[in-house]
Amino acid sequence: SGRVTIDENRCKGCGVCVSECPPEILELSRARLNTIGYPPIVVTDMALCTGCGVCAVLCPDVVFTVYRQPPRKSAGARAALS
């Protein structure tokens, strides 16, 4: 799993990330504008973020920071490693 943070005030609302996000959890805000007058990108459900980084790679305004959490090992896998 993963999560992203967004520097909303850098976002120019181009929407590239919205159309390319594999879990489809990004959308442009309908409720507000950022300090430069654009609707910023928002995450609709952070729990569904995979941490894939597609948004960060494609964003021309470098608004995303992506964090990935390493996969958890099952109890059986831990026992096999011991």
Side-chain angles (χ1 to χ4, degrees):
S1 71
R3 68 180 178 88
V4 296
T5 59
I6 300 168
D7 184 349
E8 292 184 354
N9 289 320
R10 293 181 62 114
C11 182
K12 292 189 185 121
C14 71
V16 170
C17 58
V18 174
S19 62
E20 299 300 323
C21 176
E24 300 178 348
I25 59 167
L26 300 174
E27 67 180 32
L28 292 172
S29 175
R30 294 183 206 128
R32 59 190 161 75
L33 300 176
N34 62 17
T35 58
I36 55 176
Y38 297 99
I41 201 70
V42 294
V43 178
T44 58
D45 189 347
M46 190 68 74
L48 296 177
C49 179
T50 63
C52 69
V54 170
C55 56
V57 170
L58 295 176
C59 181
D61 299 311
V62 193
V63 304
F64 295 97
T65 303
V66 179
Y67 300 93
R68 289 187 197 163
Q69 297 175 2
R72 295 181 187 202
K73 294 181 181 174
S74 66
R78 282 193 300 266
L81 294 174
S82 299

